[in-house]
Amino acid sequence: MLKRLWGYLKTLFRVKTEGAMNPEIEIEQAIQEARDQDQALRNQAAKVIAHRTKLESRIEDAADDVGEAREMAKQALLRAEKAGADGDPAGVERWTNSASTLAMKLHASENNLVGLKEQYAIALEQAEEAKGAVQQNAMRVEELAAKRIELLGQLEQAKMQETVNSAVESMSASMETDAPSLDKVEAK
């Protein structure tokens, strides 16, 4: 019983509030909500594009690291060969160890670069999807704006029709009098 009463009260409240709402304000609210959603979507798209740009910068830095590590490893190997040619076993060991360490750094830098390139490919896809979503949503907002104009025009027409109907009713009411009309007299 209480559940039915609660449902009844909710429905009654909804019907009364919907009846009291101004259609012009409701239309404006819908348009504003669509604009807010559009702005939020644009902000998200900007973040996705900023992430892509940041990845581009990190890829450039990683590529520089790879090039630097490759060059340093090459130099260490050349110095180890020179130390071997000069008969310096301590120099050979030192430069060989250095080349080995630089080779590990090179490997790590290359792996980092590969990972960043994979992330960049995903970021490119996401950026394109975000751009498409923004364009699609912008079209939706434009459609809503056009629909708004149409609905406001229909609302204005309905108001004018109500005004005309009320004027006709008041004219009809003022024509009805207690005095007999000519038609009534003639009918007698």
Side-chain angles (χ1 to χ4, degrees):
M1 175 71 176
L2 186 61
K3 189 175 182 179
R4 271 185 35 194
L5 179 62
W6 178 250
Y8 175 81
L9 289 174
K10 285 190 332 188
T11 303
L12 178 66
F13 181 73
R14 182 180 46 81
V15 168
K16 291 291 182 183
T17 55
E18 285 177 3
M21 290 184 181
N22 184 343
E24 289 179 50
I25 293 173
E26 287 184 277
I27 292 168
E28 289 302 322
Q29 282 179 327
I31 294 292
Q32 188 58 45
E33 184 177 324
R35 286 183 180 144
D36 291 346
Q37 288 175 349
D38 184 60
Q39 186 61 45
L41 186 62
R42 287 178 187 274
N43 290 343
Q44 289 173 343
K47 287 178 184 176
V48 168
I49 292 169
H51 176 66
R52 183 199 67 199
T53 304
K54 185 177 179 181
L55 280 174
E56 288 172 352
S57 175
R58 289 181 62 196
I59 287 171
E60 287 177 18
D61 291 345
D64 290 344
D65 288 347
V66 167
E68 183 180 306
R70 185 172 285 137
E71 185 58 35
M72 289 173 66
K74 179 181 167 185
Q75 289 299 319
L77 288 174
L78 289 175
R79 288 184 181 164
E81 283 180 20
K82 184 175 187 273
D86 291 344
D88 180 12
V92 171
E93 184 178 340
R94 186 181 58 193
W95 288 112
T96 303
N97 288 340
S98 180
S100 177
T101 302
L102 290 169
M104 286 189 282
K105 181 181 177 186
L106 174 62
H107 182 69
S109 296
E110 287 174 339
N111 286 341
N112 183 39
L113 182 61
V114 167
L116 288 172
K117 285 181 178 181
E118 290 171 359
Q119 287 180 12
Y120 184 71
I122 293 169
L124 278 176
E125 239 178 77
Q126 290 172 338
E128 288 304 313
E129 288 174 8
K131 284 180 186 177
V134 165
Q135 290 172 346
Q136 186 178 23
N137 200 51
M139 290 295 293
R140 183 177 155 267
V141 169
E142 290 300 319
E143 289 172 4
L144 285 174
K147 185 74 172 172
R148 171 186 167 262
I149 292 170
E150 179 184 336
L151 289 174
L152 288 176
Q154 289 174 353
L155 186 62
E156 192 62 34
Q157 288 174 354
K159 285 181 182 177
M160 288 192 312
Q161 187 62 43
E162 285 177 9
T163 304
V164 169
N165 288 346
S166 116
V168 168
E169 282 178 21
S170 72
M171 286 180 7
S172 297
S174 67
M175 292 170 88
E176 293 176 12
T177 60
D178 291 336
S181 67
L182 291 177
D183 292 334
K184 288 181 182 177
V185 171
E186 195 174 282
K188 283 186 179 180

